[in-house]
């Protein structure tokens, strides 16, 4: 059967096609002797013929005649101008890093994101700002070699705040790095098998894939594909290495198919002779997120990504191609209905040899037609919402050079945490460990370091902020289990089911966007939910997916949760209901401005009526959707507390 993917009803058109802007200009590119030969599907601008074209015209680039006196200058956001003037993400960051100031200026703040860092300050300090930098690594499929883990552990102690944070995109975040130490920390990561390049900024972010190190053809192929997509869309102009290791290159050899797909310009996708053949001077309009997985395994929150890729295998388990989904994204703005969370929808199927070309075509479509005038509407989901899937597919196919086939039917999705012990299939074992909100510190951090170092283990980070220890011999299992449990790293049967699926963003004190607590608040929230469960008679094994964010940007993907709490004021949350345990249905806003002390008034009646009125195997999210919000509010208003 085909898995149902449900989008929010009635997504409004946010902007019209005549508001799109072109990427770059001949003037902007002249300094690098680059001329963009990308195809403008709707006419006008600069166009190209494929190099192999047999057309009688030998013209390489044609600009449609225009009337300068009638043309209106295209509005661009401030960040677009910063990128254009930056000499491929170098200036003025290179100069700002040399000053004695503890911070960098606004232009450099925007540019350092592309290098994998955000400037922050402790918002709880009074009498001045203590600036520091958060660094985020880039780890396709969440893979972390042993050497890199030990390096990150050391850097956290020597240059950070003594903790590591596992993120919802399978990366590390290292907080508290001072500007004067940035180059030391960055170069240490680079020289120890790591990178922060493109972990932030207007380009492709870390590519997700299931963290489980199974020796299965489909899992291995998904992880290999994630690696190849990450390599394809990695910046090529050298700005990262120029800045942090004085131009020394630490790149591993790329598979020939990646190089071939990147260089191919047979359908007008590339900036010819540019240091950035895919990105050009302007890179993408906003961040871009991709996930790859296998059928049934939705550990990656597939539908929240700009592109979701699913391996399709034949009856013998041999990968044949991919289903592709497009247009997901979580970020929105309070009280602006024109901004919204959205889940991806099916685009089509491609054979396995075409996946890099198809992904590149989608990225180029967003590069060419995504909005660059207002960053609130610059994610690809708004382009999909404006155009519709049919028009979007038509444009992508012109850059791809082929028609997409119909998506293949897939089985139902499941959320898979990979906690506990599992056989890899190659004689070794892996062990998934739950880490509350991904924060590794204290005795837990010390013990993890000892185990990983002693047994020379590689690790993987999951999209649910947990960690997987890989390649463990059978004879090591008992001693590792004992040591870990003594540090609070318990097997899943000893972890509350509510905690196992919960997520929270860091929020206060360092995130500049936070409106209220998330990571520091969720332990208490989960305990209160468990107490409500006990009060209304729900069993311990029963659970709901709870996700908390300190602002509406949605880093912990609260809009896919059964219970999403989104900060909308001091000690106040907007409540979202209706997501599902397998993350295939988007939630909807239920109530605004719910004070943290009033959570029981909202949720105890709902949990009580779920227990009484649910259908067989009906999750809490499905129950709230079936009942409807009007009925749920009635249940809250008429509820009399159940007996203790």
């Amino acid at each position: 059967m085909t898995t149902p993917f449900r989008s929010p009803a009635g997504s409004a058109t946010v902007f019209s096609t005549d508001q799109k802007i072109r990427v770059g200009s001949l003037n902007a590119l002249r300094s690098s002797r680059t001329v963009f030969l990308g195809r403008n599907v709707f006419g006008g601008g600069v166009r190209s013929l494929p190099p192999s074209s047999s057309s009688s015209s030998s013209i390489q680039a044609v600009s449609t005649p225009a009337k300068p006196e009638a043309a209106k200058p295209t509005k661009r956001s401030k960040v677009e101008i910063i990128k254009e003037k930056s000499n491929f993400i170098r200036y003025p960051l290179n100069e700002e890093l040399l000053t004695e100031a503890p911070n960098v200026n606004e232009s450099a703040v925007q540019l350092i994101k592309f290098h994998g860092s955000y400037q922050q300050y402790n918002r709880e300090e009074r009498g001045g700002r203590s600036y520091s930098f958060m660094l985020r690594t880039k780890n396709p499929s969440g893979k972390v070699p042993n050497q890199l883990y030990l390096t990150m552990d050391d850097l956290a102690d020597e240059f950070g705040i003594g903790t590591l944070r596992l993120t919802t995109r399978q990366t590390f975040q290292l907080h508290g790095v001072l500007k004067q130490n940035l180059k030391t920390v960055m170069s240490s990561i680079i020289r120890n098998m790591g990178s922060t390049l493109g972990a932030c900024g207007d380009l492709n972010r870390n590519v997700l894939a299931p963290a489980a190190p199974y020796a299965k053809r489909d899992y291995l192929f998904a992880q290999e594909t994630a690696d190849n997509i990450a390599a394809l869309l990695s910046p090529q102009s050298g700005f990262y290495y120029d800045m942090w290791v004085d131009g020394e290159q630490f790149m591993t050899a790329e598979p020939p198919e990646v190089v071939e797909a990147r260089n191919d310009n047979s359908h007008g996708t590339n900036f010819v002779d540019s240091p950035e053949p895919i990105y050009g001077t302007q890179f993408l309009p906003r961040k871009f997120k991709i996930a790859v997985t296998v059928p049934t395994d939705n550990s990656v929150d597939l539908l929240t990504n700009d592109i979701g890729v699913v391996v399709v295998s034949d009856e013998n388990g041999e990968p044949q191609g991919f289903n592709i989904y497009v247009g997901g994204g979580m970020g929105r703005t309070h009280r602006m209905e024109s901004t919204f969370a959205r889940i991806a929808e099916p685009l089509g199927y491609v054979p396995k040899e075409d996946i890099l070309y198809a992904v590149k075509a989608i990225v180029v479509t967003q590069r060419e037609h995504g909005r660059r005038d207002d960053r609130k509407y610059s994610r690809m989901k708004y382009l999909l919402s404006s155009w519709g899937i049919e028009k979007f597919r038509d444009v992508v196919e012109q850059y791809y050079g082929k028609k997409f086939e119909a998506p293949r039917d897939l089985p139902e999705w499941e959320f898979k945490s990979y906690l506990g012990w599992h056989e890899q299939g190659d004689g070794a074992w892996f062990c998934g460990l739950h880490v509350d909100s991904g924060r590794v510190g204290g005795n837990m951090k010390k013990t993890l370091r000892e185990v990983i170092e002693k047994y020379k283990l590689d690790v993987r980070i999951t999209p649910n902020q947990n960690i997987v220890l890989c390649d463990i011999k059978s004879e090591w299992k008992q001693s590792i289990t004992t040591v870990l449990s003594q540090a609070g790293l318990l097997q899943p049967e000893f972890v509350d089911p509510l905690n196992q699926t919960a997520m929270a963003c860091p929020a206060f004190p360092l995130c500049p966007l936070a409106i209220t607590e998330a990571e520091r608040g969720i332990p208490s929230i989960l305990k209160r939910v468990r107490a409500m469960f006990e009060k209304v008679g729900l069993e311990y094994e029963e659970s709901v997916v709870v996700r908390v964010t300190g602002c509406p940007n949605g880093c912990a993907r609260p809009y896919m949760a059964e219970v999403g709490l989104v900060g909308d004021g001091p000690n106040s949350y907007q409540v979202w209901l209706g997501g599902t345990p397998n993350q295939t249905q988007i939630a909807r806003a239920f109530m605004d401005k719910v004070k943290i002390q009033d959570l029981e008034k909202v949720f105890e009646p709902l949990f009580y009526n779920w227990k009484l009125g649910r259908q067989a195997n009906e999750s809490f999210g499905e129950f709230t959707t079936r009942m409807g919000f009007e009925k749920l509010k009635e249940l809250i208003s008429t509820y009399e507390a159940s007996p203790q």
Side-chain angles (χ1 to χ4, degrees):
M1 65 179 294
T2 303
T3 301
F5 294 147
R6 286 160 282 192
S7 299
S11 295
T13 297
V14 177
F15 57 93
S16 61
T17 56
D18 63 357
Q19 289 176 287
K20 69 183 178 59
I21 85 156
R22 296 285 302 160
V23 175
S25 66
L26 294 181
N27 289 333
L29 298 171
R30 192 169 289 156
S31 61
S32 60
R33 294 179 288 110
T34 306
V35 176
F36 175 52
L37 300 184
R39 173 181 294 166
N40 182 347
V41 180
F42 297 102
V46 180
R47 300 182 296 169
S48 77
L49 295 171
S52 59
S53 172
S54 58
S55 168
S56 59
S57 172
S58 61
I59 297 174
Q60 291 295 304
V62 178
S63 181
T64 302
K67 298 179 180 180
E69 67 276 9
K72 290 184 178 180
T74 304
K75 181 183 176 184
R76 293 190 296 166
S77 71
K78 181 167 62 175
V79 175
E80 290 299 312
I81 297 170
I82 291 171
K83 288 186 289 186
E84 180 182 53
K85 295 179 177 179
S86 71
N87 185 23
F88 293 98
I89 318 302
R90 292 175 173 87
Y91 174 82
L93 177 60
N94 52 353
E95 295 184 354
E96 286 289 303
L97 291 173
L98 299 177
T99 70
E100 295 183 2
N103 61 315
V104 299
N105 67 21
E106 177 56 31
S107 293
V109 165
Q110 296 302 325
L111 297 180
I112 202 169
K113 295 176 183 179
F114 291 76
H115 297 257
S117 181
Y118 285 93
Q119 181 171 280
Q120 300 180 330
Y121 64 92
N122 189 332
R123 295 173 60 189
E124 294 178 338
E125 288 186 0
R126 297 295 179 260
R129 292 185 176 183
S130 299
Y131 286 99
S132 66
F133 291 80
M134 180 272 283
L135 274 62
R136 183 185 295 153
T137 60
K138 205 169 185 183
N139 310 87
S141 307
K143 295 178 182 176
V144 182
N146 177 268
Q147 179 180 339
L148 178 59
Y149 185 91
L150 299 179
T151 298
M152 296 300 297
D153 185 81
D154 288 337
L155 292 173
D157 289 339
E158 187 172 357
F159 298 106
I161 59 174
T163 67
L164 286 171
R165 198 169 195 281
L166 315 176
T167 79
T168 58
R169 291 205 71 79
Q170 298 185 275
T171 66
F172 288 115
Q173 283 185 177
L174 180 64
H175 291 91
V177 178
L178 299 180
K179 176 184 161 184
Q180 66 200 44
N181 296 325
L182 272 173
K183 189 165 185 178
T184 299
V185 175
M186 289 283 203
S187 62
S188 297
I189 293 171
I190 294 168
R191 296 178 192 279
N192 287 278
M193 307 175 69
S195 177
T196 64
L197 173 59
C200 322
D202 298 342
L203 71 175
N204 181 55
R205 303 289 186 88
N206 196 51
V207 181
L208 305 188
Y214 285 131
K216 300 176 181 178
R217 280 179 288 182
D218 54 350
Y219 275 84
L220 293 172
F221 191 59
Q223 291 155 6
E224 178 188 349
T225 301
D227 290 343
N228 287 346
I229 291 173
L232 171 74
L233 299 176
S234 181
Q236 300 296 300
S237 55
F239 62 83
Y240 179 69
Y241 299 99
D242 287 350
M243 200 76 66
W244 308 113
V245 289
D246 301 321
E248 190 176 352
Q249 296 290 310
F250 285 82
M251 299 176 69
T252 56
E254 293 181 321
E257 60 267 30
V258 172
V259 177
E260 182 179 343
R262 182 189 299 121
N263 293 338
D264 178 74
N265 195 32
S266 56
H267 301 289
T269 53
N270 288 21
F271 293 90
V272 176
D273 296 328
S274 172
E276 293 291 352
I278 295 177
Y279 291 131
T281 60
Q282 301 304 113
F283 288 77
L284 297 180
R286 278 296 303 274
K287 68 181 77 171
F288 201 89
K289 298 181 177 181
I290 301 175
V292 185
T293 192
V294 302
T296 76
D297 188 337
N298 200 20
S299 60
V300 299
D301 253 348
L302 182 80
L303 302 179
T304 64
N305 290 269
D306 292 275
I307 303 177
V309 177
V310 185
V311 176
V312 176
S313 301
D314 63 18
E315 61 275 8
N316 298 315
E318 186 63 37
Q320 298 298 306
F322 301 89
N323 277 2
I324 299 177
Y325 303 84
V326 291
M330 293 286 97
R332 46 176 289 277
T333 303
H334 283 314
R335 294 176 295 280
M336 290 191 67
E337 296 304 314
S338 57
T339 67
F340 46 81
R342 187 182 194 275
I343 59 174
E345 56 189 305
L347 180 69
Y349 169 90
V350 297
K352 60 183 178 181
E353 61 271 14
D354 283 356
I355 186 59
L356 297 181
Y357 298 89
V359 166
K360 181 181 175 183
I362 297 167
V363 170
V364 169
T365 300
Q366 163 66 352
R367 181 195 75 193
E368 286 295 279
H369 300 286
R371 285 183 64 170
R372 294 179 183 265
D373 61 326
D374 189 336
R375 291 176 66 80
K376 290 192 300 294
Y377 306 111
S378 291
R379 289 292 299 275
M380 195 174 78
K381 63 182 177 181
Y382 295 111
L383 187 62
L384 262 294
S385 180
S386 172
W387 280 4
I389 189 65
E390 297 300 330
K391 178 176 178 178
F392 185 84
R393 184 185 294 113
D394 288 344
V395 175
V396 173
E397 286 174 344
Q398 295 187 55
Y399 290 119
Y400 174 37
K402 299 180 181 180
K403 293 287 187 182
F404 288 99
E405 299 178 34
R408 304 304 193 250
D409 286 351
L410 297 176
E412 290 287 339
W413 293 102
E414 303 172 25
F415 168 73
K416 299 189 178 183
S417 70
Y418 298 114
L419 297 178
W421 287 100
H422 303 267
E423 292 188 73
Q424 293 181 178
D426 57 2
W429 293 74
F430 71 87
C431 182
L433 299 169
H434 173 75
V435 180
D436 283 336
S437 297
R439 183 69 66 179
V440 180
N443 192 42
M444 176 200 300
K445 178 174 175 294
K446 177 176 178 289
T447 303
L448 267 178
R449 163 70 182 241
E450 291 172 352
V451 170
I452 290 167
E453 189 169 30
K454 177 180 179 179
Y455 296 99
K456 297 180 171 60
L457 303 179
D458 292 337
V459 307
R460 299 192 184 182
I461 302 169
T462 80
N464 218 50
Q465 302 175 305
N466 296 322
I467 194 166
V468 174
L469 308 183
C470 307
D471 303 318
I472 299 171
K473 295 181 180 180
S474 296
E475 56 267 30
W476 300 344
K477 286 178 59 183
Q478 187 57 54
S479 60
I480 287 177
T481 299
T482 300
V483 170
L484 292 174
S485 64
Q486 291 171 349
L489 290 161
L490 306 175
Q491 292 301 296
E493 58 265 31
F494 303 112
V495 178
D496 191 318
L498 288 168
N499 292 66
Q500 291 186 31
T501 58
M503 292 200 296
C505 69
F508 286 129
L510 293 177
C511 178
L513 302 176
I515 304 171
T516 194
E517 297 285 1
E519 179 184 340
R520 297 191 306 194
I522 197 172
S524 172
I525 290 171
L526 294 176
K527 289 177 182 176
R528 290 165 65 186
V529 171
R530 176 55 64 196
M532 285 185 262
F533 271 33
E534 292 174 354
K535 183 175 180 180
V536 304
L538 287 164
E539 300 294 331
Y540 177 79
E541 309 79 49
E542 298 184 278
S543 186
V544 296
V545 177
V546 179
R547 294 177 176 178
V548 183
T549 59
C551 82
N553 283 339
C555 293
R557 302 189 287 271
Y559 309 115
M560 302 301 288
E562 293 180 277
V563 174
L565 300 179
V566 179
D568 65 357
N571 300 311
S572 174
Y573 296 92
Q574 186 180 57
V575 174
W576 287 66
L577 299 177
T580 52
N582 65 355
Q583 279 83 61
T584 59
Q585 179 171 294
I586 200 161
R588 293 186 296 133
F590 176 60
M591 283 186 176
D592 295 332
K593 299 291 183 181
V594 176
K595 291 295 184 181
I596 185 68
Q597 64 267 25
D598 294 332
L599 292 182
E600 282 81 1
K601 295 178 182 178
V602 174
F603 287 107
E604 185 181 314
L606 299 184
F607 293 148
Y608 177 74
N609 282 281
W610 174 45
K611 177 181 180 294
L612 290 184
R614 60 188 166 180
Q615 298 176 350
N617 301 314
E618 186 175 44
S619 70
F620 180 71
E622 291 166 334
F623 168 78
T624 59
T625 299
R626 178 173 62 84
M627 296 299 290
F629 284 0
E630 185 176 340
K631 179 63 176 178
L632 294 180
K633 290 177 181 178
E634 178 186 326
L635 293 175
I636 292 171
S637 65
T638 59
Y639 178 72
E640 295 182 8
S642 62
Q644 293 274 355

